Amino acid sequence: MTQQNLAILYWKLGMKEKAEEAYQEARNIRQELASLNPQAYGIDYASTLVMGVVSLGKPTGELEEAKAILLKYSEHPKAKRLLEIIDKRLKEH
């Protein structure tokens, strides 16, 4: 979570290179954790992907990957919230 928060902070401060580095590190860590234990970390990984698109302007294609993960846990409150964000974002683009 810390790297993800740093990415947002750096982005807001206009430090785009630092934001990208922090995002990539957060994404890589969460992707690895999700590959080892999808039930425990899949939603967190999807959350990082969504944050990248919404907050850092990453390609919207990452939302499709996040959506596929979240649909497996669609009854979980956090997954529901993220799916709503994804659907809204995809309708806008």
Side-chain angles (χ1 to χ4, degrees), residues 8-24:
I8 294 169
L9 177 63
Y10 287 142
W11 186 264
K12 288 181 178 181
L13 293 174
M15 302 169 71
K16 296 188 187 330
E17 189 173 310
K18 286 261 194 200
E20 177 64 29
E21 290 172 14
Y23 169 76
Q24 276 306 131

Side-chain angles (χ1 to χ4, degrees), residues 31-63:
Q31 184 177 36
E32 178 67 22
L33 290 170
S35 72
L36 296 172
N37 191 340
Q39 288 183 318
Y41 298 104
I43 293 173
D44 290 334
Y45 173 55
S47 174
T48 299
L49 294 174
V50 172
M51 182 277 299
V53 173
V54 172
S55 299
L56 305 178
K58 303 307 272 179
T60 56
E62 293 198 2
L63 294 178

Side-chain angles (χ1 to χ4, degrees), residues 44-93:
D44 290 334
Y45 173 55
S47 174
T48 299
L49 294 174
V50 172
M51 182 277 299
V53 173
V54 172
S55 299
L56 305 178
K58 303 307 272 179
T60 56
E62 293 198 2
L63 294 178
E64 294 299 332
E65 182 180 358
K67 187 173 185 175
I69 294 165
L70 294 168
L71 287 173
K72 297 174 189 173
Y73 311 103
S74 61
E75 296 304 312
H76 190 285
K78 186 174 180 181
K80 284 181 182 182
R81 236 178 10 261
L82 289 167
L83 285 166
E84 289 172 5
I85 292 168
I86 290 169
D87 288 341
K88 182 179 177 184
R89 190 68 176 206
L90 290 174
K91 286 178 186 173
E92 292 172 355
H93 291 90

